[in-house]
Amino acid sequence: HFHSSRTTQPQRRTMSMSSGTPRPLDIDDDSEDAAKKATTKGTPPPTTTTEMKASPGHRSLFSRVSTFGSDLVNALGDGINYLAGVDELEVTEGGGNEGDGDLKGGASDTDPNDGKNHQEDRKAMWATLKNMIGADVMSVFSVPVFIMEPMSTLQKMAEILQYQHLLDEAADEEDEDVRLALVTAYAVSVYSTMERTKKPFNPILGETYELKLDDGKSTAIYEQVSHHPPIGAGHANTEKWTYDITSAVKTKFMGNWVDVFPIGRTRIHLKRTNETFNIIPPTSRINNLIVGRIWVDTFGDMRVQNLTTKATCDLQFTACGWSSRGRYEVNGFVKDNNEKEKLRMYGHWNKDLKCSKVSDDETTTWEKKLWQVEESEIKVAHEHPYGFNSFAVKSIGAETAPADGKLLKSDSRLRPDRRALEKADNSTASTQKTALEERQRAERRERRALECGPWKPRFFLETGKNAECTADEAEIVEHVFEYNKNSYEDIREMEKMCTNVAGANNDEGEDSTKHPLDAEFHPWQFEKYEHAYA
């Protein structure tokens, strides 16, 4: 959804403090070590009143500053503790500035206990996370479905392909500076979907997602290649370009917000000019996790580099200031390999990006609109229960399945928890989500018992130390996976591995149990377990 497009006042609901004990979040037992490590990075122990009174008045400056820092952290924690449980706390969800509407899909309008349950879930989140401030903990927990959207992270990764026509234009463009500008617009465009405040489902290890591209014959393939750390890999190939990504993030939980740092690697190759590009993304922050209206900001530097010519485009994403000043703004330059400014770039990461020619006297000689979100897409996102635009709606349905109408049984569309949430059945979604997570843990125990070694992805190969990385990437990238074409084509030919969804649509009808997307979801390595619980 897009904050700038809304004029109506948000619906606000008052949550009364629950007398019951909040349901704790589940810690993923695949990462007990990670959880312990995260705990050690939590808030320092509080300085008691007795200790403070006993402290000598001639303490060193370092001691005073250390104590002040500890007291400040604990005061912040106590303050959020108070706010998270205060009676009649007014809490809204959906993000945005004053005047933005709430998402309709996060809550059931017919459930009288919905507000109470959401408050308890938020309090449970804080009870679990409050001792882990400063840690990378977001992949450790199994979060409740009330904060989720009916989409897998693999499907979320594919949303950048909504504007794949920008790569088509870049491939046909004769001006090398404008080519780089168009690739940069492609990199920025995905952030127009990043304001949705609901979390996608964490993919199951071995889960896949296939997306038919605009040319009607090419298919993008994504696979969850690692569970801890969570890593997804993707590949798309058309007559004009290829797109490859290893997607991974690190997070830093800071109490009422979490910072998200991308640490993956992207490669875009334009075939006609034989040029390769990479992307170094900015930081995103999810605000008001525990208290207040949840909203997302993106800020910092983005660099898109032509690795062939060494030209670069550096953009600055402006952090949201007081009264939302400067929010969404991006500004920067396309520079040649000698750092000379060739094009000025400007716009908003949630809706548009333009470029203009920089002349020798620093005047603008012409302007080109590179990318803009259509008003119709804004309207669809505003009206959809989860803020999905039309591309997102299609991407979770059968309409965007490969041209042959068949899906791998490991496809994200077939996840029973995702399907249940799509049908607004939160109870079933929660039950199915737990069942999938338990089976994933059983698979891991079975691999250990059988001494199978680490999981091996079906469609991607880890390159290890041989991965090609720029100096910027070398500082952040830890894993790189590259597409294994032969493996993908061989498995796709095995019809028993596929579910036929040809002719299916997103309209459920009265008997939704017969919908093709309700077929078995099967990303599993083992059909049964002999040693997992030994």
Side-chain angles (χ1 to χ4, degrees):
H1 57 280
F2 301 88
H3 300 310
S4 60
S5 67
R6 297 186 174 178
T7 56
T8 57
Q9 292 293 325
Q11 290 181 332
R12 306 176 72 90
R13 61 178 183 271
T14 301
M15 295 184 178
S16 301
M17 184 176 68
S18 170
S19 59
T21 303
R23 298 189 301 274
L25 296 176
D26 295 329
I27 294 182
D28 190 335
D29 61 11
D30 286 356
S31 55
E32 293 174 355
D33 293 339
K36 292 177 181 177
K37 182 178 180 181
T39 305
T40 64
K41 297 181 181 180
T43 54
T47 303
T48 65
T49 304
T50 303
E51 289 172 339
M52 293 177 66
K53 289 181 178 180
S55 300
H58 60 276
R59 288 181 302 160
S60 68
L61 176 62
F62 177 80
S63 174
R64 292 172 183 267
V65 170
S66 297
T67 302
F68 172 76
S70 176
D71 291 344
L72 179 60
V73 169
N74 288 310
L76 289 172
D78 292 342
I80 296 178
N81 252 335
Y82 170 75
L83 289 174
V86 69
D87 197 17
E88 297 300 310
L89 173 67
E90 184 178 55
V91 177
T92 62
E93 298 173 25
N97 309 317
E98 192 68 29
D100 297 338
D102 289 338
L103 293 179
K104 294 178 290 184
S108 171
D109 296 333
T110 60
D111 186 356
N113 296 317
D114 184 74
K116 176 181 177 180
N117 292 338
H118 284 200
Q119 185 197 27
E120 289 181 353
D121 284 329
R122 272 189 155 189
K123 290 172 65 179
M125 286 177 65
W126 176 241
T128 307
L129 294 172
K130 65 181 180 180
N131 293 322
M132 299 183 182
I133 292 178
D136 180 6
V137 300
M138 301 314 289
S139 65
V140 174
F141 298 102
S142 174
V143 299
V145 296
F146 92 93
I147 64 170
M148 308 193 80
E149 63 182 12
M151 177 180 284
S152 165
T153 298
L154 295 182
Q155 294 169 303
K156 184 78 172 179
M157 285 172 59
E159 284 194 274
I160 193 173
L161 291 170
Q162 173 177 357
Y163 297 101
Q164 59 195 266
H165 68 84
L166 293 171
L167 294 185
D168 292 335
E169 294 178 26
D172 295 334
E173 177 60 50
E174 294 296 335
D175 187 305
E176 64 177 293
D177 299 325
V178 178
R179 278 201 302 274
L180 178 52
L182 285 164
V183 174
T184 302
Y186 174 76
V188 172
S189 67
V190 70
Y191 290 94
S192 64
T193 70
M194 293 298 184
E195 289 191 277
R196 299 202 307 263
T197 57
K198 299 294 184 179
K199 180 186 179 300
F201 286 92
N202 289 338
I204 299 296
L205 186 61
E207 182 176 329
T208 60
Y209 176 67
E210 295 174 281
L211 178 73
K212 181 173 62 179
L213 300 182
D214 289 349
D215 61 13
K217 54 186 178 181
S218 303
T219 300
I221 173 68
Y222 294 83
E223 180 179 10
Q224 187 71 3
V225 296
S226 173
H227 184 49
H228 288 298
I231 302 173
H235 171 81
N237 181 30
T238 72
E239 294 179 351
K240 296 183 177 182
W241 48 265
T242 60
Y243 169 70
D244 291 275
I245 183 171
T246 299
S247 178
V249 298
K250 282 190 175 180
T251 60
K252 188 174 184 180
F253 175 66
M254 295 302 294
N256 202 29
W257 76 87
V258 61
D259 287 336
V260 182
F261 307 97
I263 57 171
R265 194 196 76 164
T266 298
R267 288 293 182 271
I268 296 170
H269 182 73
L270 303 183
K271 296 181 178 180
R272 183 181 66 85
T273 58
N274 198 29
E275 294 173 309
T276 302
F277 302 79
N278 76 333
I279 302 171
I280 305 295
T283 299
S284 292
R285 174 173 292 170
I286 305 169
N287 296 280
N288 298 343
L289 283 177
I290 310 299
V291 178
R293 181 190 297 112
I294 301 175
W295 62 282
V296 181
D297 194 21
T298 298
F299 55 90
D301 299 324
M302 169 184 277
R303 165 165 284 196
V304 181
Q305 184 174 16
N306 185 326
L307 301 178
T308 305
T309 68
K310 306 305 179 184
T312 60
C313 181
D314 292 310
L315 290 182
Q316 174 67 38
F317 285 58
T318 303
C320 181
W322 293 105
S323 300
S324 300
R325 183 177 182 180
R327 189 174 184 194
Y328 305 119
E329 290 182 3
V330 294
N331 293 277
F333 292 92
V334 169
K335 303 176 183 178
D336 64 18
N337 58 352
N338 294 316
E339 294 293 315
K340 181 179 179 181
E341 295 175 354
K342 305 299 291 290
L343 296 177
R344 180 178 286 107
M345 306 282 290
Y346 44 92
H348 306 81
W349 55 259
N350 68 325
K351 62 179 182 179
D352 60 35
L353 191 66
K354 300 176 182 178
C355 71
S356 60
K357 190 73 172 180
V358 179
S359 61
D360 292 337
D361 60 358
E362 296 187 356
T363 59
T364 299
T365 58
W366 57 263
E367 182 180 78
K368 178 180 177 64
K369 181 191 297 181
L370 300 167
W371 160 73
Q372 184 171 11
V373 176
E374 296 180 1
E375 288 296 325
S376 59
E377 286 292 278
I378 297 175
K379 185 175 185 294
V380 171
H382 179 75
E383 295 177 349
H384 190 273
Y386 289 94
F388 287 3
N389 61 20
S390 58
F391 181 87
V393 171
K394 293 177 182 177
S395 71
I396 64 174
E399 182 179 349
T400 52
D404 63 2
K406 296 177 181 178
L407 292 176
L408 294 169
K409 290 188 177 181
S410 52
D411 195 277
S412 300
R413 297 174 182 85
L414 305 179
R415 286 185 62 137
D417 52 354
R418 190 207 66 78
R419 286 288 290 158
L421 190 59
E422 187 180 3
K423 301 172 186 176
D425 187 349
N426 286 24
S427 177
T428 300
S430 181
T431 300
Q432 293 288 358
K433 177 175 176 288
T434 300
L436 290 177
E437 292 167 347
E438 286 298 330
R439 181 162 183 178
Q440 180 167 233
R441 293 166 186 147
E443 287 240 327
R444 186 170 188 262
R445 290 190 289 266
E446 186 75 1
R447 278 193 294 274
R448 286 178 171 176
L450 296 176
E451 298 182 351
C452 296
W455 166 267
K456 293 183 179 180
R458 289 179 289 171
F459 307 127
F460 294 86
L461 299 173
E462 186 169 12
T463 57
K465 296 181 179 179
N466 297 324
E468 178 268 321
C469 290
T470 65
D472 291 335
E473 292 169 333
E475 296 179 0
I476 59 174
V477 174
E478 298 178 356
H479 302 274
V480 175
F481 288 80
E482 294 185 349
Y483 176 60
N484 183 356
K485 178 181 178 181
N486 293 333
S487 174
Y488 175 70
E489 292 182 348
D490 289 345
I491 291 180
R492 282 288 296 166
E493 289 179 359
M494 300 170 60
E495 292 189 12
K496 66 179 181 180
M497 296 288 292
C498 298
T499 296
N500 194 339
V501 296
N505 56 48
N506 290 349
D507 296 330
E508 302 295 337
E510 295 183 0
D511 189 0
S512 62
T513 60
K514 295 182 180 180
H515 194 282
L517 294 185
D518 289 317
E520 179 189 14
F521 174 62
H522 195 291
W524 314 113
Q525 180 178 0
F526 305 105
E527 293 293 339
K528 60 180 181 178
Y529 308 111
E530 298 179 0
H531 309 89
Y533 300 99

